[in-house]
């Protein structure tokens, strides 16, 4: 099916439209926030950006998702998911206003980053609740279509939000006051998503009642056991587990490509000019956004034509071979093109992973499954940045990093095919 046809079908559901609107507004706001923090951390003229600083910045931006993941799963399998979607934006908006005030007041940077961690921690609950809620507003046969137009459209809106953040930064400046204004705008916009979520009935999004489910306090005390239980459940659903693993491999390699690109633009391509580097990275982000958006159209068609089990390794293998060839000359023109390729492949794999988890995993385990999903999604990204801090030279020109990216994707594709291939029947 085409994207337009998928969108027209899933938009027929009133409750889906409301959940969809909640996601779009929140992720648009998230794009502004992410750009504000990234620009302040990596592209302030007065700061020296190194591979180690990039790794530390990525840890601030993404580790809350991994650290809080197990606890989030416990609660979104017990609390009203609709209430999470109503309350979390208001809490996050308040925290964003506080972070902006701290920045203007000139507090030490660790204090500001601590406030940013709080914002991201709240967002962890919000995004997990969105993912676990989707099967409650669309029928099972439309999950692929819904996953092509919801998380992916949300990602496209994140890119749009980042683009607006870039334009506002040009007006307000990249210092503390300019960054604070971006945070305030992000907080106000994010609060609007609560108004949309509030139009849905409280019980609509689950979780389903399970009389054997332990109390939350007991579950928190046994988080590790719960994670093991969720992982065991996933292992019993081979397609979901393998597709999640493919997504994790992509995130690791994409994280390495991100760190490589930031350092290349900051020093190798621009001789340390922070503003020129930010504009260059902005072009890469824009082409990646186009690739993400194209994946919305391409993935439903490709999975229908080739099946999900074939499309995932095709996307992975193409990502490694093409992006490696584009990056290897270390020319500025190659990185936007590589960003486009990785955008298509990465979002294609994510759509397939979302669908496989939602379709194959029982609802009582969805919260824990998405917690493990997000731990991998963000933890692998940070792990890649940490490895980049070790292997990247000061100017970013690393043949070893390019080789890891170019070969890692095909290896991940092969591993995926070996896992999902049906066993040969014995004679």
């Amino acid at each position: 099916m085409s994207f337009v046809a998928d969108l027209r079908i899933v938009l027929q559901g009133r409750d889906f439209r409301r959940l969809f609107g909640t996601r779009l507004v929140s992720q648009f706001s998230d794009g502004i926030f992410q750009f504000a923090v990234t620009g302040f951390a990596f592209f302030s003229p007065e700061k020296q950006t190194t591979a180690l600083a990039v790794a530390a910045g990525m840890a601030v931006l993404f580790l809350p998702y991994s650290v809080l993941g197990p606890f989030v799963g416990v609660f979104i399998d017990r609390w009203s998911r609709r209430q999470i979607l109503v309350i979390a934006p208001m809490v996050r908006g308040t925290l964003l206003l506080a972070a902006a005030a701290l920045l203007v007041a000139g507090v030490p940077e660790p204090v500001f980053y601590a406030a940013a961690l709080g914002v991201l921690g709240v967002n962890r609950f919000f995004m997990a609740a969105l993912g676990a809620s989707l099967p409650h507003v669309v029928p099972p046969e439309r999950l692929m279509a819904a996953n092509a137009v919801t998380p992916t459209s949300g990602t496209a809106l994140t890119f749009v939000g980042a683009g607006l953040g870039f334009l506002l930064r040009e007006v307000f400046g990249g210092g503390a006051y300019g960054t604070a204004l971006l945070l305030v705008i992000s907080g106000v916009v994010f609060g609007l998503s609560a108004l949309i979520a509030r139009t849905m009935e409280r019980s609509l999004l689950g979780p389903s009642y399970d009389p054997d489910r332990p109390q939350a306090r007991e579950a928190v005390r046994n988080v590790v056991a719960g994670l093991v239980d969720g992982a065991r459940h996933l292992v019993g659903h081979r397609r979901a587990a393998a597709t999640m693993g493919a997504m994790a491999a992509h995130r690791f390699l994409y994280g390495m490509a991100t760190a490589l690109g930031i350092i290349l633009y900051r020093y190798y391509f621009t001789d340390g000019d922070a503003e020129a580097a930010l504009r260059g990275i902005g072009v890469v982000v824009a082409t990646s956004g186009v690739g993400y958006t194209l994946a919305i159209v391409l993935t439903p068609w490709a999975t229908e034509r080739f099946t999900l089990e074939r499309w995932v390794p095709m996307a992975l293998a193409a990502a490694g071979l093409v992006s490696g060839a584009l990056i290897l000359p270390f020319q500025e023109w190659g990185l936007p093109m590589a960003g486009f390729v990785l955008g298509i492949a990465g979002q294609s794999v994510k759509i397939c992973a979302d669908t496989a988890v939602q379709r194959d995993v029982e609802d009582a385990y969805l919260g824990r499954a998405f917690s493990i999903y997000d731990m991998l999604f963000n933890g692998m990204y940070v792990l890649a940045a940490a490895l980049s801090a070790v292997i990247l030279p000061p100017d970013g020109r690393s043949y070893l990093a390019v080789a890891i990216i170019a070969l890692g994707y095909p290896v991940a594709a092969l591993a995926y095919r070996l896992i999902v291939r049906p066993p040969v029947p014995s004679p």
Side-chain angles (χ1 to χ4, degrees):
M1 281 194 166
S2 69
F3 170 73
V4 174
D6 288 336
L7 182 61
R8 184 173 63 248
I9 290 171
V10 294
L11 284 178
Q12 292 174 359
R14 182 188 64 178
D15 293 321
F16 171 82
R17 292 196 300 269
R18 292 172 176 176
L19 188 68
F20 189 45
T22 302
R23 177 183 287 273
L24 294 182
V25 172
S26 66
Q27 293 200 246
F28 175 74
S29 165
D30 202 43
I32 301 173
F33 169 75
Q34 289 186 22
F35 180 85
V37 175
T38 301
F40 182 76
F42 302 147
F43 298 102
S44 293
E46 65 275 10
K47 294 182 180 180
Q48 292 296 312
T49 300
T50 64
L52 182 60
V54 171
M58 288 184 178
V60 169
L61 287 171
F62 296 102
L63 273 185
Y65 291 86
S66 297
V67 174
L68 292 175
F71 298 95
V72 169
V74 168
F75 290 109
I76 67 171
D77 284 342
R78 289 163 176 79
W79 292 352
S80 167
R81 292 167 188 160
R82 181 265 197 180
Q83 289 303 95
I84 294 174
L85 298 182
V86 171
I87 296 171
M90 295 186 288
V91 175
R92 176 173 161 155
T94 302
L95 289 174
L96 280 169
L97 295 178
L102 290 171
L103 198 58
V104 171
V107 299
E109 285 187 16
V111 178
F112 167 72
Y113 288 129
L117 282 170
V119 172
L120 292 164
V122 174
N123 200 47
R124 170 79 286 280
F125 278 88
F126 185 87
M127 296 304 294
L130 278 174
S133 298
L134 189 59
H136 291 266
V137 294
V138 292
E141 66 273 14
R142 293 300 177 199
L143 267 179
M144 176 64 77
N147 277 316
V149 300
T150 49
T152 46
S153 295
T155 302
L157 262 291
T158 301
F159 281 107
V160 174
L164 177 62
F166 177 82
L167 295 176
L168 292 176
R169 189 179 189 271
E170 293 291 307
V171 176
F172 299 144
Y177 285 94
T179 303
L181 284 171
L182 290 180
L183 295 178
V184 170
I185 293 170
S186 175
V188 172
V189 174
F190 201 95
L192 297 177
S193 66
L195 301 179
I196 303 174
R198 200 168 173 273
T199 62
M200 293 181 281
E201 292 185 16
R202 183 166 181 160
S203 61
L204 172 68
L205 306 177
S208 302
Y209 175 69
D210 182 359
D212 298 323
R213 184 181 299 155
Q215 294 297 312
R217 184 178 301 176
E218 179 185 350
V220 169
R221 288 197 302 264
N222 296 281
V223 164
V224 175
L227 270 182
V228 172
D229 188 35
R232 187 180 298 115
H233 184 80
L234 279 170
V235 169
H237 297 76
R238 186 169 56 179
R239 183 174 65 172
T243 313
M244 193 182 294
M247 178 276 304
H250 158 71
R251 287 294 289 179
F252 178 83
L253 298 166
Y254 188 67
M256 180 166 287
T258 300
L260 176 68
I262 289 174
I263 301 300
L264 283 173
Y265 272 104
R266 190 70 165 87
Y267 297 109
Y268 187 72
F269 294 144
T270 63
D271 295 324
D273 186 336
E275 293 301 321
L278 182 59
R279 285 191 291 270
I281 285 292
V283 174
V284 177
V285 171
T287 57
S288 296
V290 174
Y292 272 63
T293 304
L294 183 59
I296 300 173
V297 180
L298 182 61
T299 304
W301 172 85
T303 52
E304 189 172 317
R305 181 179 178 85
F306 301 111
T307 73
L308 185 150
E309 290 80 5
R310 289 189 177 92
W311 178 240
V312 168
M314 289 168 64
L316 290 172
L321 298 175
V322 177
S323 65
L326 291 169
I327 298 171
L328 191 59
F330 292 104
Q331 298 294 316
E332 194 168 349
W333 55 263
L335 269 69
M337 298 172 66
F340 173 74
V341 171
L342 293 177
I344 294 177
Q347 195 62 13
S348 294
V349 173
K350 187 177 186 305
I351 293 171
C352 294
D354 290 346
T355 302
V357 172
Q358 291 168 346
R359 180 179 292 169
D360 297 348
V361 176
E362 296 173 15
D363 185 66
Y365 287 89
L366 267 181
R368 279 160 286 181
F370 272 102
S371 293
I372 296 171
Y373 185 117
D374 287 329
M375 288 175 68
L376 291 171
F377 190 85
N378 297 287
M380 296 299 286
Y381 199 72
V382 175
L383 182 61
L387 177 61
S388 300
V390 175
I391 68 173
L392 289 182
D395 66 354
R397 184 172 179 173
S398 170
Y399 291 100
L400 175 59
V402 177
I404 292 173
I405 294 167
L407 298 177
Y409 276 107
V411 170
L414 178 61
Y416 175 84
R417 281 299 294 163
L418 291 175
I419 293 172
V420 301
R421 185 173 58 187
V424 179
S426 56

